[in-house]
Structure formats: structure tokens, C-alpha cells
Amino acid sequence: QAQLVESGGGLVQAGGSLRLSCVYSGGAFGFAGMGWFRQAPGKERELVAAISGIGASKRYADSVDTRFTISRDNGKNTVYLQMNSLKPEDTAVYYCARARAVTVVTSRDAYDIWGQGTQVTVSS
């Protein structure tokens, strides 16, 4: 019933920008913290950005801070990840997920619903 659907991935040149969208339905997502994760081949899945239930608090991975911005519009049931100044090392499958709490959640194990992911490829 509850599901997340990511979109907006694609191929972009280094230095370019993409905006990922995550549309959620079938659950109380507006009260839950949300996060964006990414996983590259041979690498661990890592948190990119997290946001609290109403968007008042945000956290970013050190590797993306100042380049990425997480936001949400609960009226549109959507969480966004604006990615600027993209680098080849940003290449990965990006996943949207719902946390078990209303706060900012940084632990991967505290997320209970995941989307299927969207591929982001950054060329040199």
C-alpha cells in the first residue's frame, strides 16, 4: 500500500544539475522524516540527505553539503533532492526512504519503506 516512487535521474555532465523527486502515497508520510540515499557498484548504501517531517530540520553528508538541497512539499506528497555541481563520484542509484520517526534520521536501519531507486550518471 505505502510506496515511494523516485524520478528525475539521468545522464549529466560534470558540473551540471539534476532534481530528483520522490512521490509518496498510501501512508502518513507527511508526519515522517524522509531521506535520500545512494549506492554505487561495490559501495555501501549511504545517506545523502535527511529531512524532518515538516521540513524544519535537515542534515547532509559531508561529501555533498552545499551542493545538494533536500526539501519537501507535503501538500504535493513529494520530497525533492536538488543536486548541483555534480561530480563523477556522485554516480549511483539514488533511493528515497521513509524514517520511523518525525525527526531527522541519519541511521539507515531506522528507515522502513524504500523506493526502487533512480539512476544518476555523471560523466567526466
Side-chain angles (χ1 to χ4, degrees):
Q1 294 180 350
Q3 63 179 14
L4 306 170
V5 180
E6 302 99 333
S7 63
L11 176 64
V12 64
Q13 293 180 331
S17 299
L18 287 172
R19 188 181 74 163
L20 306 183
S21 298
C22 172
V23 178
Y24 49 85
S25 62
F29 292 98
F31 301 98
M34 301 288 291
W36 283 98
F37 293 77
R38 68 185 181 187
Q39 186 167 26
K43 302 293 182 64
E44 297 180 354
R45 185 172 299 189
E46 64 175 349
L47 178 70
V48 176
I51 188 169
S52 62
I54 62 172
S57 299
K58 304 174 183 179
R59 296 290 185 275
Y60 299 93
D62 291 341
S63 60
V64 305
D65 199 2
T66 74
R67 298 189 298 118
F68 290 11
T69 302
I70 188 170
S71 62
R72 67 191 301 165
D73 185 340
N74 288 342
K76 296 182 178 180
N77 300 328
T78 304
V79 180
Y80 304 96
L81 184 67
Q82 178 67 45
M83 305 186 295
N84 299 323
S85 301
L86 284 163
K87 305 174 182 179
E89 52 262 44
D90 295 319
T91 295
V93 177
Y94 283 70
Y95 299 90
C96 181
R98 186 190 76 175
R100 300 189 183 109
V102 299
T103 59
V104 168
V105 177
T106 58
S107 174
R108 183 178 61 190
D109 293 337
Y111 286 82
D112 59 358
I113 301 177
W114 296 78
Q116 292 300 304
T118 184
Q119 177 71 48
V120 172
T121 302
V122 184
S123 62
S124 301

